[in-house]
Amino acid sequence: LRKDFGERLQHTVDGFERRLQNSQDGFERRLQHTVDGFDRRLQHTQDGFERQLADLRKDLDVLAAAREHSGSASGASEKVGDVVLLNVGGVPYCTSRSTLAKYRDSMLGAMFSGQFSLSTDGNGRIFIDRDGDLFAP
């Protein structure tokens, strides 16, 4: 009787151990899936920050070039405050408001004459929804 009881007890303990192991394995799989999801989201966020940083560095370069240009042009009527940063189809540009408003009958002339409210992107550049490469001189 004692042997039979010991075998049944061992069988019960073995069953509990198997269920515990299965439960632990399932928990570890779910935990790993959650960690992988966090890793993907973190990488996506980091990539976004790196793109924004690259955009900001481009903007800084454009501003530095604009300041250099306006400071080096003798007798130039344009001031740094006249500098306009554009985002044309994702391509950054830097020019002056007077250049954009030069031809008053053109769309750009109208846009920069104050007749229209202008949309800006996340970096404060005036957004123009056109092909940026075709906009280049």
Side-chain angles (χ1 to χ4, degrees), residues 49-120:
F49 283 144
E50 287 173 359
R51 282 190 300 274
Q52 286 179 346
L53 181 60
D55 286 345
L56 288 172
R57 285 184 175 144
K58 285 180 195 174
D59 288 347
L60 257 158
D61 291 343
V62 167
L63 280 173
R67 284 189 180 119
E68 183 179 311
H69 171 71
S70 68
S72 67
S74 59
S77 62
E78 298 170 14
K79 299 177 223 125
V80 173
D82 194 36
V83 171
V84 177
L85 297 178
L86 302 172
N87 171 353
V88 184
V91 179
Y93 287 97
C94 176
T95 188
S96 68
R97 186 170 298 279
S98 60
T99 297
L100 293 168
K102 186 175 184 177
Y103 299 101
R104 297 187 188 277
D105 294 334
S106 71
M107 185 62 186
L108 287 174
M111 286 174 67
F112 290 92
S113 68
Q115 296 176 19
F116 294 96
S117 62
L118 302 173
S119 299
T120 57

